Amino acid sequence: MKAEVILVFGRICSGKSSFQSMSYRIVVSNIVKDLMKSDDREKLQNSMHLDERIAEEIIGVLDATSTCIEKGIIKRRPIIVDGIRQSTIVDKILEWYPDSVLVWLDVSEAKRKQRYELRKDEKDTEPFEIADNKPIELECQKIFNNFKDRLEIINNNQ
């Protein structure tokens, strides 16, 4: 029996990284950093052409983690994949893990802006309004549009 896989989506500062903290977690931005060999946010946001490679890496980690769960090497817990920004990546993962749960974290723009400003991340070098409208963020919104019939929508405004 394959492990439970949960794909978590949401716009910038929607709470993806803190969703279900007791799960195994695959952070897509870490995969992108490895593929791009960079930590520079501007470069990382220009990674849409790597969608096939990103999907392959995610599936590889999912397979390895799922195998460890199946063999009892690690505890049975859901595997969270957070930070996917392209529908093509979701499509590829669903080919391998069709029973994945898709979760959209719905947060008001005002709340996301507040979180963005409060987190004071050194990588946040531009105002929220610019960061929230980068092409990669708008791609994330396409995920919502393309998969809305399948998404479990969770209000995460707290």
Side-chain angles (χ1 to χ4, degrees):
M1 180 175 153
K2 283 189 175 181
E4 179 185 9
V5 175
I6 303 172
L7 308 180
V8 180
F9 312 101
R11 298 288 295 262
I12 191 171
C13 291
S14 60
K16 297 176 296 295
S17 63
S18 59
F19 181 78
Q20 284 197 4
S21 61
M22 294 304 295
S23 301
Y24 300 111
R25 186 167 300 275
I26 299 170
V27 180
V28 176
S29 62
N30 291 338
I31 290 172
V32 175
K33 286 175 190 175
D34 287 344
L35 290 174
M36 299 284 291
K37 300 195 183 340
S38 176
D39 279 341
D40 181 84
R41 180 168 277 175
E42 200 62 38
K43 287 181 183 176
L44 297 176
Q45 290 181 338
N46 293 317
S47 62
M48 288 193 282
H49 65 287
L50 295 173
D51 59 334
E52 194 74 26
R53 297 258 329 269
I54 294 167
E56 289 169 3
E57 292 291 323
I58 293 169
I59 291 166
V61 176
L62 281 171
D63 287 347
T65 307
S66 187
T67 298
C68 288
I69 290 171
E70 290 168 19
K71 291 183 175 184
I73 296 169
I74 58 177
K75 289 182 182 179
R76 181 165 291 280
R77 293 184 183 154
I79 306 169
I80 302 287
V81 180
D82 84 51
I84 297 173
R85 293 282 194 262
Q86 292 169 267
S87 292
T88 53
I89 296 171
V90 178
D91 288 333
K92 190 76 168 172
I93 292 170
L94 291 177
E95 286 176 24
W96 288 83
Y97 289 86
D99 297 328
S100 296
V101 176
L102 279 63
V103 173
W104 180 268
L105 300 180
D106 188 38
V107 181
S108 71
E109 184 175 337
K111 185 66 172 180
R112 292 186 303 107
K113 180 178 180 176
Q114 178 187 38
R115 290 176 181 173
Y116 183 86
E117 291 170 351
L118 288 174
R119 75 181 182 180
K120 299 185 187 316
D121 191 322
E122 64 184 39
K123 295 178 286 186
D124 296 338
T125 59
E126 53 205 1
F128 171 80
E129 292 76 14
I130 293 173
D132 192 42
N133 284 291
K134 294 277 190 174
I136 199 81
E137 283 300 316
L138 300 176
E139 282 292 316
C140 185
Q141 190 63 43
K142 285 183 185 177
I143 290 173
F144 180 85
N145 297 336
N146 291 347
F147 295 97
K148 63 184 167 198
D149 294 337
R150 188 168 171 181
L151 289 170
E152 178 183 327
I153 300 173
I154 297 175
N155 181 304
N156 199 26
N157 276 304
Q158 59 279 16

